[in-house]
Amino acid sequence: GLRPTPDRVRETLFNWLGQDLSGWEVVDAFAGTGALGLEAASRGAARVLLVEQEGAQADALRAVVTRLQGAEAVKVERGNAISVLQRLAPASCDLVLLDPPFDANLYERALTAAVPALRESGWIYLEAPCAWSGEALAALGLQCHRHLKAGMVHAHLLCVA
């Protein structure tokens, strides 16, 4: 059931964010393959938390992190992404990566849980099957900074309004 972020979308996201994420605190809340969080780590993020609910996938992520050189900043946690986001310290994250299963209808709950964890200048990346904008984001205190549609994927870079 994994749907990895397409290479083109991942490349665009990190072009939007900048190539150097030195010192950033990052949470990849629906980690899946871990590609987004591991990319953030490779660009200098100080800490990356990969959250994955499926036990076998979390174990696979731990194995990947163990094999990677210089991945000491990456931690894998098995758990419910929304619960993990809700327990994060306020204003503790520079980047929250949200790519929930498209059919799980978790977007609003995930965004609501992520907003308090964001630092003032922080970002939320949201990957969804449809565009999020306007009133839906404003109600959550967010605005869309960048948007890209690639195939069936809508990629959003969101910030606090």
Side-chain angles (χ1 to χ4, degrees), residues 33-59:
T33 65
L36 291 173
L38 293 170
E39 183 80 20
S42 77
R43 293 172 187 264
R47 272 186 260 203
V48 177
L49 175 60
L50 304 176
V51 181
E52 177 53 46
Q53 187 163 330
E54 297 298 324
Q57 189 59 34
D59 290 342

Side-chain angles (χ1 to χ4, degrees), residues 6-157:
D7 291 343
R8 174 177 166 238
V9 173
R10 190 169 62 244
E11 180 181 342
T12 298
L13 169 63
F14 287 98
N15 285 337
W16 289 344
L17 293 170
Q19 301 303 313
D20 184 5
L21 305 185
S22 293
W24 286 33
E25 304 281 334
V26 178
V27 176
D28 188 348
F30 298 87
T33 65
L36 291 173
L38 293 170
E39 183 80 20
S42 77
R43 293 172 187 264
R47 272 186 260 203
V48 177
L49 175 60
L50 304 176
V51 181
E52 177 53 46
Q53 187 163 330
E54 297 298 324
Q57 189 59 34
D59 290 342
L61 285 170
R62 284 188 194 95
V64 167
V65 169
T66 299
R67 285 193 311 268
L68 289 175
Q69 296 275 341
E72 295 80 22
V74 181
K75 178 183 172 196
V76 177
E77 181 173 334
R78 180 178 180 203
N80 178 285
I82 293 171
S83 296
V84 171
L85 289 168
Q86 290 171 333
R87 75 161 203 260
L88 292 174
S92 62
C93 296
D94 297 289
L95 175 61
V96 177
L97 302 161
L98 300 176
D99 182 9
F102 276 10
D103 61 353
N105 197 26
L106 295 172
Y107 302 100
E108 189 171 342
R109 289 178 50 215
L111 287 166
T112 299
V115 168
L118 274 189
R119 291 195 168 120
E120 188 175 317
S121 61
W123 301 101
I124 295 175
Y125 169 74
L126 175 67
E127 196 167 301
C130 62
W132 277 70
S133 61
E135 291 179 20
L137 289 176
L140 297 167
L142 295 168
Q143 64 185 12
C144 187
H145 179 71
R146 300 275 180 126
H147 174 261
L148 165 74
K149 183 176 186 315
M152 301 299 294
V153 173
H154 286 264
H156 309 76
L157 187 60

